[in-house]
Amino acid sequence: MPKMTFIETDGTRREVDAPLGLSVLEIAHKNSLDLEGACEGSLACSTCHVVIEPEWFDVLPEAQEDEEDMLDLAFGLTKTSRLGCQIIMTEELDGLVVRLPGGSNNAMK
């Protein structure tokens, strides 16, 4: 089974199983990681914002316009920011490393 690593806000690295076809958001939730996802992956918020480690950023499919629009609302936006709900695990992403930002902007509340 593919694996991925989450780097938590305190720098702790957690390698987890990353089943094919699940989003990074779903994988985080299955592993009790602190990644909100207020809209439950419907691309209506930016609370599942993650920062992709630079060596992985170009491996991902490009963000679509809707994702780019939501990213504009993300807390702590970086050049390698993505929404966890939009990254679907594939064999090619085995070993993916993402960093959890220190907070989120939740416009859903």
Side-chain angles (χ1 to χ4, degrees):
M1 174 175 299
K3 303 265 189 207
M4 69 172 291
T5 300
F6 288 91
I7 303 173
E8 299 181 68
T9 56
D10 66 359
T12 302
R13 297 174 71 91
R14 286 198 40 204
E15 184 178 76
V16 300
D17 288 335
L20 297 174
L22 291 187
S23 70
V24 167
L25 174 62
E26 292 169 313
I27 295 165
H29 286 176
K30 284 188 171 293
N31 289 281
S32 301
L33 286 152
D34 189 20
L35 187 59
E36 187 173 345
C39 74
E40 299 177 359
S42 65
L43 200 53
C45 74
S46 63
T47 61
C48 66
H49 166 232
V50 293
V51 178
I52 308 301
E53 289 295 279
E55 64 271 16
W56 284 98
F57 189 74
D58 290 334
V59 178
L60 297 175
E62 285 190 32
Q64 299 298 307
E65 186 175 344
D66 289 348
E67 180 182 358
E68 292 284 351
D69 290 345
M70 283 294 109
L71 278 169
D72 288 340
L73 306 173
F75 175 85
L77 191 66
T78 73
K79 289 189 290 188
T80 62
S81 288
R82 293 292 302 268
L83 296 181
C85 69
Q86 297 301 296
I87 302 169
I88 306 301
M89 198 63 187
T90 64
E91 290 285 352
E92 185 178 61
L93 296 179
D94 186 14
L96 176 67
V97 180
V98 303
R99 186 173 298 275
L100 301 177
S104 67
N105 289 333
N106 186 351
M108 300 287 292
K109 289 184 181 177

